[in-house]
Amino acid sequence: MSDEKKNGDFLDEVTSEEYKYGFVTDLESDQSPRGLSEDIIRFISKKKNEPDWLLEFRLKAYRHWLTLEEPDWALIHHPPIDYQDIIYFSAPKPKEKLKSLDEVDPELLDTFNKLGISLEEQKQLAGVAVDAVIDSVSVKTTFQDTLAKHDIIFCSFSEAVQNHPDLVKKYLGTVVPYTDNYFAALNSAVFSDGSFCFIPKGVRCPIELSTYFRINAANTGQFERTLLIAEEGGYVSYLEGCTAPQRDENQLHAAIVEIIVMDDAEVKYSTVQNWYPGNKEGKGGIYNFVTKRGLCKGKNSKISWTQVETGSAITWKYPSCVLLGDHSVGEFYSVAVTNNYQQADTGTKMIHLGKNTRSTIISKGISAGKSNNSYRGLVRVSKNADNARNYSQCDSLLLGDQCGAHTFPYIKTGNETSTVEHEATTSKISEDQLFYCQQRGIDMEKAIGLIVNGYAKQVLNKLPMEFAVEAKKLLEITLEGSVG
Amino acid sequence: MEKKIKTIYPLEEILFKHFGEHTDEWKKSDHPSVTALRHEAISYFEKHGFPNQKMEKWRSTNLTGVYEEPLEIFDRHVAFDKKLSDIFLCEVHGFNTQVISMLNGSFYSPENHEITITNEGVIVGSMASAFKKYPNLVEKYFGKISGYQDDGFKAVNAAFWRDGVFVYVPDGVEVKNTFQLIKILNQPNLMVNTRNLIVLGKNSRLTFLHCDDSVNHNTGLTNTVNEIVLHENAELELYKLQNLNDDSALLNQTYVHQDANSRLKVNVLTLNGGMVRNEITDQLNGQGAESQISGLYLMDKEQHIDNQIFVNHNVPNCNSSQLFKGIMDDEATGVFNGFIYVARDAQKTNAFQRNNNVLITSAAHIDTQPHLEIYADDVKCSHGATVGQLDNEGMFYLMQRGIPYSDARMLLLFAFADEVISKINIEALRISIEDMVKRRLRGELSICDRCVLHCSNPEQPIVFDIDISKI
Amino acid sequence: MLLNIKNLHVSIAGKEIIRGLNFSVNKGEIHAIMGPNGTGKSTLAAAITGREGYEITKGEIIFKGQVINDWSPDKRANEGVFLSFQYPIEIPGVSMTNFMRTALNARREYKELPPIPAGEFLKKMEEKKKLVEIHSKLTNRSVNEGFSGGEKKKNEIFQMALLEPELAILDETDSGLDIDALKVVANGVNQLKSDENAFIVITHYQRLLDYIVPDFVHVMYNGRIVKSGGKGLALELEERGYDWIKDQFDD
Ligand SMILES: Nc1ncnc2c1ncn2[C@@H]1O[C@H](COP(=O)(O)OP(=O)(O)OP(=O)(O)O)[C@@H](O)[C@H]1O
Ligand SMILES: [Mg+2]
């Protein structure tokens, strides 16, 4: 990263390209047949050489899923998803077992290079360890040695199942049980890989951990699962990035993230979601149905979610915090941008159970084109959550008169010593601000990019530097062509 | 969507039976459009039944208890045999009102006064009589503003209503006296379905006070549907005062249609009641229309309040605001669901919404959902909701000036409520409501006061211990 | 002629504010425009800079020989028109540095020049900051956010210094300034002034004109320029007020 970029002027780099991650990599992959059944689940489990208890877990989830119906309360519309038309397992064919990077399929390396993610450690952005998940399988985790020195476990979910089965068994499904919702049940039945991270007692992870997800193969769904545990006094900042190729059909992504944080521990979880959003006419794009939840189990524990959502045809996502430990803190910072025919229904849940728990919600929605962008959030203060505090601010910005911006907060309070405050505004981009920029010679499109980035700054500032740079560019690219 | 086999509740059974037994008889006296509506509505009800908590708008209000009650569907006309003042003790002092009385769901007045028309052409009276006397006028509006398909209660109302109040103000007429509708149930275990229609012609004006009161501790369920039409540049001030006993359930469902430049001002004051649900659906259908809807609710014991306010900006250049404030004591539960909808092209919309709550005990509970759904870009919309305690700094300030804790608290509670009360334009009414609220906050108000206007004892002056002006 | 305005009529929301205004500016000149509140001075500035909602119903604005009536505001800016706003707006979250660099590069792109290198840009910033004695802490903040009234005005001059326009319109840049700041602003203008550029100074106070000496003073009333003269006219207005003008031109 040159100083140039750090100076914060990213506009020059915004080219007119549309979705620049839309290439397809020609990889040989190992796929399951289309469709979902107990046999497919057994196939996945066998492929991954899983212990019986995990197969049982999957089957229970699958049987439960069969009893459920797709939720319909979100402000999103899509043709029915044919769950039998999806390939639930697709893995780039491994060349035996990889010992060094030299053995990684060069096509694959190239894919990640195009994405701007280098798997070669020496070229790595200083201080970021990467786990790369392509289609359903983790292909490479970097910086293993550095992490091992601190006894930090950071590996693919499959490896964790093989090497740390007790930990996985202890925590899997404890924050997001498979009964939680339709997509959680589906994921629990078919998840193929994901990342696993364990921060031992008293360890502050010295580098940022990061997972890049990519859907590559056609007709596949991606169902990854992330499990993150921070023991007493532990700290980690975790980044997640997602891209997918440009395809005409819709692809399903249904992930689960579970976080468990013990006494005095802290997890920062940042996401830049840039799945393919579909084209200008609304054709194609990823259906992104994700369940993310963190449990602040210990005293003074803290979970902070930051998300920049620019991609996906549909986003259905509510990263949540269950504030169980006394004095625990939950934060949610979100920027969601929708353009063309994108639909986003996203927000958070803050469940206050412990005493003196605090939560903050800052949500900035930006809608353009013919898109719909909804904030949906729940703040619940239970009877025993004395002195719980919540502050929420949800702003929406409308660009153009064909889009929608919606705010659906749900506040449920049952404790008289708690304080909950919610504020929201909806407005269009200020004409005075636009004129001011234009008077200084900045054209309309750039002016909008500038103002929107300013508007989202409170959230973007929460992202680690490298991610913030990418996020700013994404905001501008997403909004391209939204005026005129 | 309906796939599960529903349970039939006792009250549903009673209703079906009642309908079967009376439909032929009703048909004889009903206007044909009413007969048709009754049948459409009952078949909707047969299909959907009463609302349940799976429905978004009913998520936080559970009426199963009421559905289990073997209530009597009261639609008998009560012969006028007593003096009005024996039943309606509310003597309204301080401002001119024209009192309209309803007893157990029927218009209550001497036979020949069932419907009156003034020199200016203002029509006031029984809905049933209005249908006979002015069929064309009534039919033009009746059932057109509300939707019986919204849920089971509206359907039941459309199928079972027998009477209500009809008010018509012709173009250009400004009604000077406030109309005061007093509704009382004086018999036990009744379900009454009443239907009111208020039509304001162009450039007309009306102030309407709608009181729902209990005079005893009987159980009862009142299911009211109000339809209101404001033609161009008409102005309606509507006050709803609700002071019912703890065993009463009240559903007050109001639908408003606003034409261009019309102005609606609603103030809903809920002082007591076992279960009170106010639904207001305001359709801003003409440019330049304005809507101001506010409410205050003071609940305690195991009371439940549910305010559902829907303001739909269907056309450009309208303004709306909603302000609801509540104080929840004991084990009271409350719901506020405010919904602002701005249609595509409804540009230059200003819409504001606020809900503030104070919880007094840890057993009290409030759910608030201030929602915005916006499809136009040149709009200014905002909402805010808070749940909390009294302002600590304010408490300290008052106590520092020597005011004891309990007085300071009372003062601040009153100040909290006063933001809504101060929106009452009729001074005499405002003063009287202020007194009621003060006494309510001190826990002194009960239905023994008969009516919110505490006419049972008009002589007894009500003074508040602390004179705010001295601070 | 740098700017030539012919029989200009401008309406806001259907209401005619500028009603047949003629006005021209040559390179190297400073013009002061004075006039009672609400006579259309800011409206004129908005029309020259192409603000939306200010509808030119008749007449022409000619800048450097081209009719610019239909040009977008950014095109006019990049051609060299700068407005120091009467009420500069705040743009939360957009840093001054980023903002100015974007503006400067937009101009360079318009002139088909490569973007300014970071080092050079920072040097230029420092240089111009000194010129208007603007504090570094201000340029590190978001555009105008939390600036005092006077700081906002100084910030406008700072931007003018960076962008080096050919025609600068200062709309009441002096109001809200303390005496020292007023001198700073005037000093900025005087240093930038050359034979190649021109200034239109809208003001209510003759005091500014002691520091920025105008070649011409115009009085605007009811949407027209009703009187023009030299610096002496400003002194006369200071002394006599506007009543005599109003009496003469009320319709
Ligand atoms: N957006 C607007 N909508 C309607 N009228 C406007 C608008 N902007 C300005 N006006 C009116 O146009 C007239 C001229 O305004 P303008 O701001 O140009 O005056 P001015 O000469 O700059 O006054 P001042 O000395 O107070 O700055 C005023 O009557 C003003 O009220
Ligand atoms: Mg001005």
Side-chain angles (χ1 to χ4, degrees), chain C residues 12-13 15 17 35-44 54 86-87 171-172 204:
Chain C
I12 309 169
K15 189 178 158 224
I17 307 290
N37 294 127
T39 51
K41 301 182 295 295
S42 297
T43 306
L44 175 64
Y54 291 73
Q86 185 173 0
Y87 307 106
D171 191 354
E172 296 196 24
H204 286 294

Side-chain angles (χ1 to χ4, degrees), chain C residues 133-149:
Chain C
E133 298 176 18
I134 199 164
H135 208 283
S136 278
K137 75 170 195 240
L138 293 183
T139 53
N140 290 336
R141 276 200 240 156
S142 295
V143 179
N144 291 323
E145 200 180 39
F147 287 26
S148 75

Side-chain angles (χ1 to χ4, degrees), chain A residues 4 432-433 436 439-440 457, chain C residues 51 77 83 93 118 156 159:
Chain A
E4 279 277 278
D432 289 345
Q433 289 177 353
Y436 194 85
Q439 210 301 304
R440 298 301 184 251
K457 193 166 192 170
Chain C
R51 190 166 190 150
L83 173 63
E156 295 291 291
Q159 293 178 35

